[in-house]
Amino acid sequence: MAPATCRLRKECPECAIAAGACSLVSFAECLQCDSMGMGQDKQRHIVCASNKLEAAEKKSKEHLDTLKEQKKELLLQRKRLEDEEKEKEMHIGQLNITLASAKKMMEKAQSMLGTAEWHLHEVREQLKKVKKKEKCEKVQRNFILVVLLAYTVIVSIEYLRDALKLSRDNQVAILLSVLAASFQASLYATQKAVQELKVSIRQLEDKVSEFKQEVDAFEKQKEEIRNDHRDQQRISEEMDREREKFSEVNEKEEVVKEYHSLLSLLVQMVNSIQNDSNHDDIWDTLNEISQSMMQLGKEGAMYFGCSAGEEKTKQVRRLKGIVDKFL
């Protein structure tokens, strides 16, 4: 039959093993036809099989290294999550201690806040009344001042005084002046009361704001604890997922490690044929190779996403069938 063509390609291990098994079948067919020495065709087939199995070994080693790196990353991720979880637990503990000591202060602040808001309302209502009084007193004072001014003008003009039969007596003017001064004094007192009430309102507003800040700070700490508990739940769920991933990767690593070890043994056995001139020994080695290939099972197709498993099995059975005829 025509010699098999050796085409090394960047394939998954299963593809390379299937191709290597095909080359071993060609080698065995040449061997059964010509048992004398290591001819050129036989040498080419065994070298081709060796190269393809070495390529499979390299690919499985790369995959094994990738799985090891994934395990390292998952362990680092788990360590990061554990550290974050501890940090959250410490933060929650500190906040709980702070809240326990701040609870009474917060309750007192809430009570004082209610009182302060009530006083503030009362003072604002009082300010409205005083401002209304201030407005009335301004009107009264201004009215008396206008009357006093008008009277003074009229008295100072002789023909108007005579026409109205007014005397130069200053008693009316004095009375009006007294009334104006009285209204002015009352207005000053009212204006002073307005200013004092405004100061009281500002002080009360400051107290209300201060008490609100204390209550808000307490509520903020409670919200922080709720957020930390939610973060703890998230971290716990992430850690569960990471554990599942680690378990899956670890399981894959164990299978691929065994797969790789068997491949390394296959490469050694195939390479040993090149330096072996005893045909009985070569047939024994081929028998061991076929049995080892059968042991690879379905793991390759499962973990390398390859569909060459059937072809590999077919070629290994062909090799086994040829070898069994000579044993």
Side-chain angles (χ1 to χ4, degrees):
M1 66 179 283
T5 303
C6 179
R7 294 179 182 175
L8 276 176
R9 294 171 293 176
K10 292 183 179 180
E11 299 166 328
C12 76
E14 285 290 282
C15 294
I17 293 170
C22 183
S23 294
L24 286 172
V25 168
S26 298
F27 173 79
E29 288 174 342
C30 288
L31 189 63
Q32 73 177 356
C33 294
D34 180 13
S35 62
M36 300 299 294
M38 183 65 70
Q40 188 176 13
D41 286 345
K42 285 186 283 186
Q43 184 70 28
R44 185 169 62 254
H45 290 316
I46 201 66
V47 168
C48 185
S50 176
N51 288 341
K52 288 180 178 178
L53 289 174
E54 284 177 355
E57 182 187 24
K58 182 181 178 182
K59 287 294 179 184
S60 68
K61 180 64 168 58
E62 290 174 358
H63 192 66
L64 187 59
D65 291 342
T66 299
L67 291 172
K68 287 179 179 178
E69 286 300 316
Q70 287 179 0
K71 280 182 67 176
K72 287 180 182 178
E73 291 176 5
L74 289 170
L75 287 172
L76 288 173
Q77 176 70 357
R78 183 191 297 180
K79 180 66 169 55
R80 184 189 67 78
L81 289 170
E82 287 174 350
D83 290 344
E84 188 178 354
E85 187 178 39
K86 288 178 182 177
E87 184 180 342
K88 291 295 180 186
E89 286 177 356
M90 290 178 62
H91 190 233
I92 289 172
Q94 291 170 352
L95 285 175
N96 281 327
I97 292 172
T98 304
L99 284 178
S101 60
K103 187 175 181 181
K104 289 184 178 179
M105 292 179 61
M106 189 276 299
E107 291 173 350
K108 182 179 178 182
Q110 281 184 322
S111 175
M112 294 178 71
L113 173 61
T115 303
E117 286 179 335
W118 181 80
H119 280 302
L120 180 60
H121 174 74
E122 289 295 312
V123 172
R124 282 174 174 166
E125 290 298 317
Q126 188 177 354
L127 178 61
K128 288 179 183 179
K129 293 177 181 178
V130 173
K131 280 187 172 182
K132 187 175 180 181
K133 181 183 177 185
E134 179 190 20
K135 186 176 180 181
C136 292
E137 288 177 346
K138 278 184 179 180
V139 171
Q140 290 173 342
R141 181 205 61 182
N142 292 339
F143 175 76
I144 294 298
L145 289 174
V146 169
V147 172
L148 177 60
L149 178 62
Y151 179 80
T152 303
V153 171
I154 292 171
V155 170
S156 65
I157 301 174
E158 186 174 351
Y159 76 89
L160 286 175
R161 185 179 69 243
D162 293 340
L164 296 172
K165 297 180 181 180
L166 297 174
S167 67
R168 286 183 174 271
D169 190 355
N170 291 328
Q171 289 182 355
V172 175
I174 292 171
L175 178 60
L176 290 173
S177 298
V178 170
L179 284 173
S182 175
F183 283 131
Q184 182 63 49
S186 178
L187 178 61
Y188 283 152
T190 302
Q191 288 176 334
K192 184 179 179 181
V194 167
Q195 295 304 316
E196 290 175 350
L197 287 170
K198 285 183 177 179
V199 171
S200 297
I201 286 173
R202 283 196 295 270
Q203 291 174 345
L204 285 169
E205 285 176 341
D206 291 341
K207 285 185 178 180
V208 167
S209 177
E210 181 183 342
F211 294 144
K212 280 185 176 180
Q213 286 177 1
E214 290 182 17
V215 173
D216 289 344
F218 185 83
E219 292 300 325
K220 185 178 179 182
Q221 287 180 328
K222 287 173 65 177
E223 183 61 26
E224 281 186 50
I225 290 179
R226 285 192 288 269
N227 289 336
D228 282 347
H229 281 305
R230 284 193 287 267
D231 286 340
Q232 277 189 319
Q233 180 64 29
R234 172 186 58 80
I235 291 169
S236 178
E237 291 173 357
E238 284 188 31
M239 289 180 70
D240 288 341
R241 288 193 293 269
E242 292 299 322
R243 289 190 190 97
E244 289 179 7
K245 288 180 184 178
F246 185 84
S247 179
E248 291 174 4
V249 172
N250 192 58
E251 183 182 347
K252 286 182 180 180
E253 184 192 24
E254 292 301 318
V255 174
V256 175
K257 189 185 293 183
E258 184 178 350
Y259 183 90
H260 177 72
S261 298
L262 194 53
L263 265 177
S264 298
L265 179 62
L266 280 171
V267 170
Q268 292 175 15
M269 287 190 290
V270 170
N271 288 338
S272 70
I273 292 177
Q274 298 182 56
N275 302 316
D276 197 342
S277 58
N278 187 315
H279 280 214
D280 289 337
D281 291 342
I282 291 175
W283 284 113
D284 288 339
T285 303
L286 286 174
N287 184 48
E288 291 178 14
I289 290 172
S290 64
Q291 290 177 352
S292 295
M293 282 186 165
M294 291 294 287
Q295 290 176 19
L296 286 175
K298 297 180 180 179
E299 287 84 358
M302 183 185 302
Y303 289 110
F304 299 107
C306 179
S307 58
E310 292 183 4
E311 179 63 22
K312 180 191 73 175
T313 302
K314 175 184 175 182
Q315 295 300 331
V316 171
R317 284 176 179 172
R318 285 182 63 195
L319 176 62
K320 180 67 175 171
I322 296 171
V323 170
D324 287 345
K325 292 178 183 180
F326 286 86
L327 292 179

